[in-house]
Amino acid sequence: KSSVQTIGEEQIQNPYTELLVLKGHQDIVRFLVQIDDCRFASAGDDGIIFLWNAQTGEKLFELQGHTHKITAIASFSSSDASEEKKNLILTASADRTVIVWDCTSGRQVQKVSCFHSTVKCLTVLQRLDVWLSGGSDLCVWNQKLDLLCKTSHLTDAGISALIELPKNCVAAAVGKELIIFRLIAPNDESEAWNILEVKRLVDHQDNILSLVNVNDLTFVTGSHVGELIVWDALDWTKQASECNFWDSSVHSDAQPEIKLSQSPNETSVQHLTSDEECVFAAVGKGIYVYHLQMKRVIACQRTAHDSSVLHIEKLPNRQLISCSEDGSVRIWELKEKQQLPAEPVPTGFFNMWGFGRANKQANQAAKKMQETTAVYFLELVGDLIGHSSAVQMFLSFGELGLATCSADHLIILWKDGERESRLRSLTVFQKLAQNGDLQLKV
Amino acid sequence: MISAPDVVAFTREEELEDELYREPPLPEEYSVPLFPFASHGANPWAKVAGSKFTRDFILISEFSEQVGPQPLLTIPDDAKVSGTFDLNYFSLRIMSVDYQASFVGHPPGSAYPKLNFVEDSKVVLGDSKEGAFAYVHHLTLYDLEARGFVRPFCMAYISADEHKIMQQFQELSAEFSKASECLKTGNRKAFANELEKKLKDLDYTRTVLHNETEIQKKANDKGYYTTQAIEKANELASVEKSIIEHQDLLKQIRSYPYRKLKEADFHPYEPDCALDQANAGCGQDLTTSDPAEPGEPPLYAHLPSYTPKLIKAKSAKCFDKKLKTLEELCDIYFFTQTLDQLHHIERTFRGDVCYLLTDQISRALLKQQSVTNFLFEDVSFLDEKPPEKQYRGCQGLSQDAIERKCLEESPAPKVVISLGSYKSSVESVPIKMEQEIEDSQEPTMSESVTFEHQENLDYLDADIKGSISSGESIEVLGTEKSTSGLTKSDSQASLPVSPSPQAGRSKVGSRRTVSEDSIEVLSTCPSESLIPEDFKASYPSAINEEPYADDEEGGLRFTPKLTPDNADEQEDISKEENLVQVDSACCIGKESPSFLDPLPDVGQKPCDEDGVIRIPPQPYRQAEPGLRGSFGGFPSHDGISGGLLPYELDSRYLSGSREVSKSSLDECSDSTSYISSAASTCSDRTPSPAHPACPASERHKKKAGQNALRFIRQYPFAHPAIYSLLSGRTLIVLGEEEAIVKKLVTALSIFVPNCGVYAKPVKHWVTSPLHLVDFQKWKLIGLQRTVSPAGVNVLHALSRYSRYVSILDADSKTLRCPLYKGTLVSRLADHRTQIKRGSTYYMHVQSILTQLCSKAFLFTFCHHLHLPISEREPEESVVTRRMNFLKLQLGLANEDIKIVRYLAELLKLQYIQEPGQGVSPLLRFDYVPSFLYKI
């Protein structure tokens, strides 16, 4: 029987009481990207990109140009001094092209089709006004789509993730390796751009699946076998690592359920997100909260969903949203435990199962922490059920609501019903005033 | 919804009487005087006692030049309907009204025979001996073989109820005009066709004769003509003359639409021409003898198959030949259209006049509630445009300022005003006054006629030939309609007609002709008040006259307002102050000035030369008492309550001893429910409600009402189920058997609020697994339960989305849905209700739902309930105010609040919806626990 925590039909804290189904895609919708305060783009396996109004759910544009599925999408706001701010989106597709779209006109600005392999990730370096495409090599482009420079062929598998680091550096996840590149902008000495490989980090045992910036000084990586490494963003050294944190024995508050053989799928770090304090990791079906200062997992929900968690996001209000292959979206809240921490599970219990020394030490450390600091836990405050298939990603618009995309070809816009109702009233009275119906007619 | 025809049969039914006796006796002042003949078992509403037919019917008669007046057909075509009623006799009566439609042959001063484009005449006849009253619509069809080329016909709506005829005169007139126009259009087509053939025959004959003459000439070299040759030459000459005559006739008949076009009130429809061309293949415009005619297709090409015949010099005597039947006289397409229209008329006016009136009034009222009426009203009902007159007629009821605005531009006093003053005997009818009123309404009606043409779904159902879309054909019907029902027959031309429009206006345009025997002409058609210019058109000599557009300029200016497309807009327009002068009222005034002063004491002659009329608001307020009087006076027939306000009357009269002094909303609805329940037991004899537009939907309502009654009696958890529907939570009826599920869905569908003006969000039967999108679209779904693997998927989907739905299991009789603790639904669906009939219950539901709508309306459009009064006011205090309003002001408890909020949400969505865009499909839901109910 599934041990997934469930919440009843009564969800007082769940604000999403209204939904809009946005139809348009004909295949799995994999990507959502925010363009500005009220617009977002969606893309997926049908190769079509849609622009939506996040408030009204109105379909703004249907962008057709790719012949294969979309593999990466990034939004890019150009800051030409001459013009007003222009919102662009970049899309990469399995047809080995990258297209730049204008979000205002819905037109294709330019198309690049000189790639040798599929571009799997796109990163915009707003500061340098360039963007990077990562496939089997790493290319640097400027806004006008001139190829500025590129690396040599790195790998056939291609770059799976790319982030910007300080000092014009980027970190690229290539298989098990993490490669740091430095971008050299034109200066007095040279007119040309250049990109240099600075360092190769080979600490991960398996493919790096997620790569995320925490702050200017730190970034985190997660791998397929559940390793989580915190890196220093300046000197690229390992600050901390957590390898078996998914293991139930580590946590005193975990249920006494032990799986001796975890399948890799259940331990892979699918997605990472962070705020200043913590890194939130979607590991298998579970969610883990890793405290950067304490260098340990402070809370977890080991089976947060019925199947793999695909995306996880932290909201400003201490809430955490996760979506999963099981088609549900869940809202969690990180809470401090009010009561005294539960009695630590006697170590003897674990010894029975013959755990190694390292684990024990970790356990000890955890216990020590518990004595001194507060204990956190993730409480399920609501779930959103609407999709009939895996929810690939979601995008939070704060007050405006939440957009989720799924393998069932749909995008659902979840909204706060109360707020929407209020807004509609406002519109009604605006319209009344406009029509002059508010005046008393004699 | 407001009306309840059932209630009128109150005093009749035995079973009810028993029930009444159990009630405490009525206070004296409320008691209803018993119908004097009640003891004889007579239905007080069946004034039909003397009549020999069972129900109203339509009779088409002809004044045959061979056998005199004869009945042709009745609608419905059922011998039972007319019963022992002597159709022949009545045909004689109705055809013997002095209807000189036809001018025959050669008018003096004209070389050729002229066709007389006669307008129809409309009269009301009463035959007290037969107990029959009839609206008679005379029309003339063309027949080449007939004397003077014309065949007089008439269509009569025959009813035993004189009031009905008088009350519904405008509607009847409008509807029959449609039928008549349709028939005449078809006839013109057929006539033109006939002329075509005749011309070819003549042409052929001429050729033959010519050849013979030539041969004779050649054979004859004696230098003088033989008698034979002279005969031949004469014959040839007469054929030549005949050809010219027929060509002229053809030209005349073909010029008809164009001639009509030039008239001010003739709607120049573009589709008309399109249709003509499309129809050309069917043989309408088969001539092109006249190249001057614009846009004529070459016609001979269309009829290559006709073989000309030789015409004998001496044709058969007219009494020898068989005259064409009505079908033969008319293009078959138009003939069937006409029959459809007549059937439609029969359906529309079926039932008691009181039902018709209440129905018209309630529709008119509903029509005004444009903001809320989509919620629970029939969509088709709303789409259908009720005759304008009703709309206006009922505005007398509303008293707020906005309505008065509309009133200002509705110069027509309600026809119902006359109700009270009628007595049962024909002779005492103060015709003068009525006539005036009816005249006044006429043009308005006519405008709505064309309007309805387009909307009329019945027409759309009619069979359509070839590629002609029915929409176009409908418009054709509208184009050639008689000009605002003004009759222009010769007989009427001889009536005292005032020489100037102004004078005509002040003239009372009615007269009364008492013919011998028991026939009384209650009213002739309002033709007397014609503007003289219009007469020109109707005079035979006017046919080939030059267009007199100049004369009509004033009228022309208003034609856009008159076109049916704009009819809807008129309401909107009317709201704009600066347009008040140019509204439809003016056009009415222009067309038929006689009514402009419907209430003489007002003393207004508000029409000036260019047709712009200032209508002061006063008359219409004065009209209100009349309306009220009609409300009260009619059902009782004793005039007990002429002065009562309608609602007072209704409540007192109908709710028996219940206390109705307080007229709060709740009280009203209570009494309503009582009314319905009381009526339900006793209304067998009441006329079956005939919904003018869609009798099917009426049946549906009845059935739905019945099923709903059964449902609320059978299922103790009906309340939460209904609550689910009202609060917008999709209810799924799950069951194995389609019939049972569908029945339940039908029953429950009456509680489902519409999300937009389109279709009801009800899906009767689904077999595939449901998705979120379905709940967004449908609010009531019948779902198949199967044991197959597919069925497992269906159930799995249901359990997955269980938070969005309530599930009514028809097989195990369980309901899974949120708790309901409100009070509203218990009034709506009381399982101990006394209501027994489906239609009654349906109306009961409708009345409660209307009340609910009004609450939702109030809630939605109270500014301070949703927005802060001052800028600094916190949101919380608005929320508090809102809740207080819902609880205290609207008296809503618990879950009832959710219902009103949901309805308010729908209202808002509907209101802010941009035209052209549908309401965005929202799904609103609550996170509330569900419970399982079992029987």
Side-chain angles (χ1 to χ4, degrees):
Chain A
K1 185 69 197 160
S2 160
S3 63
V4 176
Q5 189 186 345
T6 52
I7 183 165
E9 281 166 325
E10 204 164 1
Q11 301 177 9
I12 304 152
Q13 284 175 281
N14 190 342
Y16 301 108
T17 54
E18 190 174 304
L19 63 82
L20 267 173
V21 178
L22 312 183
K23 283 189 267 190
H25 283 286
Q26 275 134 41
D27 209 333
I28 300 176
V29 191
R30 291 188 190 272
F31 303 99
L32 294 174
V33 61
Q34 187 165 352
I35 296 164
D36 52 24
D37 287 343
C38 65
R39 286 186 298 169
F40 68 96
S42 65
D45 288 3
D46 54 4
I48 307 169
I49 300 113
F50 285 99
L51 297 191
W52 307 92
N53 182 325
Q55 171 58 39
T56 61
E58 191 191 347
K59 190 190 287 176
L60 302 170
F61 294 110
E62 179 176 343
L63 312 178
Q64 280 180 321
H66 288 296
T67 54
H68 287 72
K69 65 178 189 179
I70 308 289
T71 51
I73 184 166
S75 101
F76 189 7
S77 62
S78 82
S79 47
D80 265 351
S82 56
E83 306 163 43
E84 73 273 37
K85 198 172 163 186
K86 224 168 42 173
N87 287 307
L88 303 172
I89 46 172
L90 306 166
T91 54
S93 159
D95 61 9
R96 296 186 185 178
T97 59
V98 170
I99 299 182
V100 183
W101 310 89
D102 184 348
C103 297
T104 323
S105 66
R107 250 176 277 148
Q108 180 176 328
V109 176
Q110 215 161 348
K111 184 173 184 173
V112 189
S113 46
C114 59
F115 295 97
H116 299 298
S117 67
T118 303
V119 173
K120 289 195 175 159
C121 47
L122 291 167
T123 300
V124 174
L125 304 187
Q126 212 66 258
R127 199 161 37 84
L128 298 170
D129 213 14
V130 296
W131 57 275
L132 281 66
S133 66
S136 59
D137 49 14
L138 186 65
C139 304
V140 183
W141 309 80
N142 69 7
Q143 213 196 99
K144 295 190 184 84
L145 271 85
D146 303 318
L147 181 59
L148 302 174
C149 56
K150 61 187 270 186
T151 63
S152 56
H153 182 81
L154 295 166
T155 161
D156 285 334
I159 297 168
S160 60
L162 207 56
I163 55 163
E164 183 185 2
L165 297 179
K167 296 188 198 163
N168 290 358
C169 288
V170 287
V174 183
K176 293 176 193 175
E177 294 178 345
L178 191 65
I179 308 176
I180 310 291
F181 294 98
R182 172 164 286 148
L183 203 60
I184 296 158
N187 48 26
D188 301 337
E189 292 143 44
S190 80
E191 279 298 297
W193 287 79
N194 203 2
I195 187 158
L196 298 172
E197 185 179 322
V198 185
K199 193 165 186 182
R200 251 171 216 257
L201 306 165
V202 288
D203 296 72
H204 276 292
Q205 303 296 312
D206 205 336
N207 287 340
I208 299 170
L209 294 180
S210 46
L211 173 62
V212 66
N213 273 318
V214 175
N215 50 38
D216 280 349
L217 302 171
T218 326
F219 68 97
V220 194
T221 53
S223 82
H224 192 60
V225 289
E227 302 151 305
L228 184 114
I229 301 179
V230 182
W231 304 89
D232 189 312
L234 295 172
D235 56 8
W236 317 302
T237 54
K238 201 151 89 172
Q239 284 188 340
S241 76
E242 189 80 27
C243 291
N244 293 320
F245 64 88
W246 38 268
D247 196 317
S248 58
S249 60
V250 181
H251 309 290
S252 54
D253 57 340
Q255 291 154 334
E257 177 208 358
I258 288 125
K259 286 179 186 160
L260 289 175
S261 58
Q262 298 265 14
S263 79
N265 257 346
E266 292 184 338
T267 61
S268 72
V269 182
Q270 307 278 359
H271 190 245
L272 288 170
T273 187
S274 71
D275 58 9
E276 287 295 306
E277 281 184 345
C278 302
V279 173
F280 304 90
V283 182
K285 296 174 184 173
I287 300 170
Y288 294 80
V289 183
Y290 181 84
H291 199 282
L292 287 166
Q293 227 68 70
M294 288 188 254
K295 296 196 176 169
R296 69 177 187 91
V297 171
I298 55 164
C300 78
Q301 196 57 246
R302 294 186 317 105
T303 43
H305 284 273
D306 283 319
S307 54
S308 293
V309 180
L310 295 176
H311 196 84
I312 186 168
E313 211 70 67
K314 174 75 169 56
L315 299 187
N317 57 356
R318 286 188 81 76
Q319 282 185 348
L320 189 67
I321 300 181
S322 63
C323 68
S324 149
E325 275 178 355
D326 64 8
S328 68
V329 176
R330 292 181 160 217
I331 307 163
W332 308 87
E333 193 161 318
L334 189 61
K335 288 192 172 169
E336 275 181 49
K337 251 189 189 140
Q338 301 296 317
Q339 72 274 36
L340 283 169
E343 276 298 301
V345 182
T347 42
F349 178 80
F350 290 100
N351 285 339
M352 277 181 2
W353 301 92
F355 281 99
R357 210 168 148 262
N359 276 351
K360 239 195 264 176
Q361 276 173 347
N363 205 359
Q364 302 281 323
K367 258 198 281 180
K368 234 194 280 173
M369 289 297 189
Q370 278 163 13
E371 284 155 17
T372 54
T373 61
V375 173
Y376 297 90
F377 68 102
L378 282 170
E379 193 195 48
L380 182 63
V381 295
D383 60 348
L384 308 177
I385 294 174
H387 289 292
S388 54
S389 188
V391 181
Q392 298 287 340
M393 197 180 170
F394 59 87
L395 200 61
S396 173
F397 277 92
E399 259 204 322
L400 242 52
L402 183 78
T404 57
C405 68
S406 155
D408 63 4
H409 312 177
L410 299 178
I411 298 164
I412 297 181
L413 217 51
W414 302 84
K415 291 167 159 291
D416 180 348
E418 283 296 308
R419 181 178 176 273
E420 293 302 310
S421 168
R422 222 163 41 233
L423 286 177
R424 273 194 288 273
S425 287
L426 197 65
T427 320
V428 162
F429 289 108
Q430 275 165 359
K431 188 167 176 182
L432 277 170
Q434 217 170 48
N435 296 353
D437 291 343
L438 282 182
Q439 266 68 48
L440 201 68
K441 288 201 177 143
V442 187
Chain B
M1 136 182 323
I2 297 147
S3 66
D6 301 15
V7 300
V8 297
F10 192 73
T11 55
R12 168 139 167 66
E13 231 25 47
E14 276 77 36
E15 34 178 327
L16 179 84
E17 276 167 24
D18 293 351
E19 241 173 60
L20 273 180
Y21 292 133
R22 269 183 262 122
E23 298 276 335
L26 284 169
E28 193 52 45
E29 63 268 30
Y30 295 141
S31 69
V32 181
L34 284 176
F35 182 63
F37 308 112
S39 51
H40 307 300
N43 181 350
W45 290 274
K47 298 170 294 296
V48 208
S51 75
K52 292 167 180 166
F53 49 92
T54 50
R55 56 189 259 207
D56 299 356
F57 64 98
I58 294 170
L59 171 69
I60 300 183
S61 297
E62 181 197 2
F63 196 104
S64 163
E65 60 193 58
Q66 290 171 346
V67 298
Q70 58 170 349
L72 297 179
L73 57 100
T74 61
I75 291 167
D77 193 11
D78 185 358
K80 266 184 285 177
V81 171
S82 50
T84 58
F85 187 66
D86 189 346
L87 290 178
N88 281 308
Y89 172 77
F90 204 74
S91 293
L92 174 67
R93 287 277 165 255
I94 57 180
M95 288 308 287
S96 61
V97 175
D98 189 21
Y99 172 60
Q100 285 293 334
S102 49
F103 170 75
V104 187
H106 303 255
S110 166
Y112 305 122
K114 289 290 178 197
L115 282 181
N116 184 7
F117 294 110
V118 182
E119 298 300 334
D120 301 348
S121 86
K122 298 148 187 182
V123 296
V124 175
L125 290 174
D127 188 338
S128 50
K129 208 190 275 173
E130 291 284 314
F133 297 89
Y135 164 87
V136 186
H137 193 107
H138 293 282
L139 68 151
T140 311
L141 298 181
Y142 302 110
D143 182 358
L144 201 52
E145 288 152 24
R147 195 170 44 161
F149 307 124
V150 289
R151 304 262 306 265
F153 285 89
C154 84
M155 301 182 287
Y157 186 87
I158 300 168
S159 170
D161 185 358
E162 167 210 354
H163 290 281
K164 186 168 176 178
I165 303 286
M166 296 309 279
Q167 289 291 298
Q168 303 295 317
F169 182 83
Q170 308 309 320
E171 292 80 357
L172 282 167
S173 159
E175 295 294 316
F176 272 102
S177 294
K178 272 191 261 179
S180 162
E181 279 312 316
C182 186
L183 195 62
K184 287 195 287 183
T185 308
N187 171 246
R188 278 194 299 276
K189 239 179 189 186
F191 186 63
N193 203 2
E194 203 187 352
L195 276 170
E196 272 307 310
K197 290 180 180 174
K198 186 71 182 278
L199 270 174
K200 278 182 206 161
D201 290 346
L202 287 169
D203 199 45
Y204 177 71
T205 312
R206 182 178 59 181
T207 320
V208 172
L209 283 176
H210 188 74
N211 289 345
E212 285 175 7
T213 320
E214 288 301 308
I215 291 164
Q216 277 187 350
K217 267 186 199 162
K218 275 177 199 157
N220 173 13
D221 41 6
K222 290 169 200 159
Y224 62 92
Y225 293 109
T226 61
T227 39
Q228 216 182 8
I230 291 168
E231 243 173 52
K232 273 275 181 274
N234 282 343
E235 209 173 313
L236 190 58
S238 81
V239 167
E240 300 267 10
K241 181 166 179 280
S242 188
I243 286 176
I244 295 170
E245 279 176 12
H246 280 86
Q247 276 173 348
D248 192 67
L249 283 177
L250 190 57
K251 193 169 132 192
Q252 286 177 39
I253 197 81
R254 282 191 53 258
S255 70
Y256 179 80
Y258 303 101
R259 199 176 55 77
K260 292 292 279 185
L261 262 176
K262 284 153 193 159
E263 283 172 30
D265 45 2
F266 185 77
H267 310 313
Y269 283 140
E270 286 312 310
D272 180 21
C273 302
L275 179 77
D276 278 351
Q277 266 141 32
N279 263 354
C282 307
Q284 173 163 27
D285 300 324
L286 293 171
T287 30
T288 324
S289 50
D290 188 356
E293 288 297 338
E296 280 307 313
L299 291 159
Y300 282 108
H302 290 291
L303 263 196
S305 55
Y306 181 68
T307 321
K309 292 188 292 283
L310 187 68
I311 292 177
K312 298 273 162 40
K314 299 279 181 218
S315 61
K317 286 280 179 256
C318 63
F319 43 81
D320 291 338
K321 68 185 177 221
K322 188 182 159 289
L323 281 173
K324 287 196 186 68
T325 62
L326 188 56
E327 284 100 317
E328 288 165 337
L329 276 177
C330 183
D331 183 88
I332 187 69
Y333 170 73
F334 285 94
F335 184 71
T336 43
Q337 289 278 305
T338 310
L339 285 187
D340 286 348
Q341 168 67 6
L342 291 176
H343 279 288
H344 168 72
I345 294 173
E346 196 273 325
R347 278 199 306 274
T348 309
F349 293 96
R350 203 180 281 174
D352 194 277
V353 65
C354 118
Y355 176 77
L356 292 176
L357 279 177
T358 42
D359 185 60
Q360 282 161 3
I361 289 166
S362 63
R363 281 151 163 284
L365 289 173
L366 262 178
K367 191 90 175 106
Q368 292 178 24
Q369 303 172 335
S370 55
V371 177
T372 56
N373 60 10
F374 72 94
L375 280 179
F376 291 105
E377 291 309 321
D378 212 341
V379 182
S380 56
F381 182 97
L382 293 172
D383 278 351
E384 191 219 358
K385 307 298 187 285
E388 201 136 312
K389 191 218 89 197
Q390 268 79 46
Y391 178 56
R392 285 150 188 266
C394 292
Q395 282 172 341
L397 276 177
S398 56
Q399 272 136 36
D400 67 56
I402 296 168
E403 253 78 37
R404 260 218 330 273
K405 190 101 214 147
C406 308
L407 284 173
E408 281 175 23
E409 41 113 14
S410 77
K414 301 56 185 169
V415 82
V416 278
I417 197 172
S418 60
L419 238 183
S421 54
Y422 275 121
K423 303 268 166 54
S424 55
S425 106
V426 178
E427 282 77 17
S428 63
V429 172
I431 284 169
K432 199 166 176 178
M433 163 98 173
E434 262 65 65
Q435 179 56 50
E436 197 174 34
I437 288 154
E438 279 156 7
D439 277 359
S440 69
Q441 311 254 327
E442 179 80 289
T444 326
M445 285 308 303
S446 304
E447 288 323 314
S448 64
V449 168
T450 40
F451 190 74
E452 285 198 8
H453 268 306
Q454 290 177 320
E455 303 296 329
N456 200 325
L457 291 174
D458 279 6
Y459 277 113
L460 294 175
D461 289 337
D463 57 327
I464 298 148
K465 289 181 180 173
S467 62
I468 307 157
S469 88
S470 61
E472 283 169 340
S473 73
I474 287 163
E475 277 164 347
V476 161
L477 299 186
T479 53
E480 301 185 16
K481 72 180 190 64
S482 56
T483 57
S484 308
L486 303 175
T487 309
K488 293 153 187 172
S489 66
D490 286 9
S491 68
Q492 271 130 17
S494 68
L495 293 172
V497 176
S498 48
S500 79
Q502 279 78 9
R505 259 161 229 142
S506 44
K507 196 116 186 156
V508 172
S510 72
R511 71 189 173 120
R512 179 172 170 189
T513 315
V514 181
S515 54
E516 82 289 22
D517 285 1
S518 55
I519 295 279
E520 289 90 12
V521 178
L522 296 183
S523 66
T524 54
C525 69
S527 60
E528 294 85 353
S529 51
L530 279 177
I531 301 166
E533 284 92 322
D534 284 1
F535 265 105
K536 282 196 212 159
S538 65
Y539 281 127
S541 59
I543 286 170
N544 285 335
E545 270 183 14
E546 286 303 300
Y548 28 85
D550 292 0
D551 297 347
E552 299 294 326
E553 213 162 40
L556 276 171
R557 258 174 50 190
F558 296 105
T559 38
K561 288 276 174 284
L562 286 168
T563 54
D565 303 333
N566 287 343
D568 218 7
E569 292 165 22
Q570 282 186 17
E571 283 172 52
D572 302 335
I573 288 164
S574 70
K575 299 224 168 84
E576 297 173 38
E577 242 160 311
N578 52 350
L579 281 177
V580 167
Q581 290 186 327
V582 200
D583 58 23
S584 59
C586 315
C587 311
I588 294 155
K590 177 69 179 170
E591 285 162 15
S592 140
S594 77
F595 81 97
L596 277 176
D597 193 6
L599 295 176
D601 49 329
V602 180
Q604 284 270 352
K605 300 277 184 295
C607 188
D608 54 28
E609 196 51 51
D610 59 358
V612 178
I613 305 156
R614 249 172 217 288
I615 307 291
Q618 294 93 326
Y620 316 111
R621 266 183 255 142
Q622 287 180 1
E624 279 166 24
L627 185 57
R628 287 169 187 163
S630 73
F631 258 107
F634 188 67
S636 69
H637 261 274
D638 285 17
I640 47 151
S641 54
L644 284 176
L645 292 177
Y647 59 86
E648 283 175 330
L649 174 79
D650 283 348
S651 332
R652 289 179 192 179
Y653 179 37
L654 299 168
S655 61
S657 61
R658 295 285 169 99
E659 187 193 314
V660 268
S661 53
K662 275 201 284 175
S663 60
S664 71
L665 273 178
D666 288 8
E667 289 289 325
C668 274
S669 76
D670 275 340
S671 74
T672 313
S673 75
Y674 176 73
I675 289 163
S676 308
S677 64
S680 68
T681 57
C682 63
S683 42
D684 274 4
R685 279 300 300 261
T686 48
S688 64
H691 198 288
C694 33
S697 103
E698 192 63 37
R699 256 201 315 280
H700 170 81
K701 281 180 190 170
K702 209 168 176 174
K703 219 176 116 196
Q706 256 158 14
N707 288 340
L709 260 181
R710 204 166 299 143
F711 174 76
I712 61 171
R713 292 211 174 103
Q714 208 174 347
Y715 292 84
F717 46 71
H719 289 184
I722 293 169
Y723 161 66
S724 279
L725 292 171
L726 286 176
S727 61
R729 186 178 173 114
T730 302
L731 180 72
I732 287 167
V733 182
L734 187 65
E736 275 176 51
E737 269 188 65
E738 188 173 351
I740 294 173
V741 170
K742 278 189 171 171
K743 208 169 185 177
L744 275 171
V745 170
T746 314
L748 289 164
S749 64
I750 62 174
F751 301 106
V752 181
N754 282 325
C755 299
V757 287
Y758 304 108
K760 261 211 181 278
V762 176
K763 184 93 177 157
H764 282 81
W765 188 242
V766 174
T767 53
S768 54
L770 295 169
H771 289 280
L772 194 66
V773 190
D774 298 313
F775 310 134
Q776 200 173 252
K777 211 182 330 175
W778 311 111
K779 293 300 170 193
L780 176 60
I781 304 173
L783 184 65
Q784 185 186 34
R785 181 211 302 274
T786 50
V787 281
S788 66
V792 173
N793 281 340
V794 168
L795 293 181
H796 180 257
L798 264 195
S799 72
R800 179 174 177 83
Y801 295 120
S802 62
R803 69 173 54 167
Y804 304 118
V805 294
S806 299
I807 301 163
L808 176 66
D809 191 326
D811 301 329
S812 62
K813 304 246 191 289
T814 59
L815 173 73
R816 191 188 165 282
C817 80
L819 207 59
Y820 175 72
K821 297 194 293 288
T823 55
L824 210 149
V825 176
S826 56
R827 259 189 284 141
L828 194 62
D830 180 6
H831 67 277
R832 288 164 306 183
T833 179
Q834 297 295 310
I835 299 175
K836 294 203 170 59
R837 292 175 84 234
S839 54
T840 316
Y841 181 68
Y842 183 84
M843 279 183 254
H844 166 65
V845 169
Q846 287 284 294
S847 73
I848 301 237
L849 293 180
T850 307
Q851 190 193 333
L852 195 56
C853 284
S854 65
K855 287 186 179 183
F857 177 84
L858 274 179
F859 174 68
T860 314
F861 292 98
C862 270
H863 181 275
H864 65 281
L865 296 179
H866 304 280
L867 301 173
I869 293 170
S870 68
E871 270 178 38
R872 273 164 299 165
E873 191 180 24
E875 180 60 33
E876 292 77 48
S877 78
V878 180
V879 172
T880 321
R881 193 162 54 224
R882 186 155 57 217
M883 286 315 285
N884 280 339
F885 181 83
L886 286 167
K887 281 181 184 156
L888 305 175
Q889 249 82 12
L890 294 183
L892 299 168
N894 306 322
E895 277 75 21
D896 294 341
I897 291 177
K898 274 188 189 164
I899 296 178
V900 169
R901 296 190 105 170
Y902 172 68
L903 296 182
E905 226 43 59
L906 292 178
L907 291 182
K908 281 190 238 172
L909 281 170
Q910 182 69 22
Y911 187 81
I912 62 180
Q913 169 205 359
E914 293 299 318
Q917 287 179 331
V919 175
S920 51
L922 283 178
L923 179 64
R924 286 175 66 81
F925 49 92
D926 293 305
Y927 297 103
V928 286
S930 286
F931 295 90
L932 191 69
Y933 293 86
K934 287 177 188 161
I935 281 191

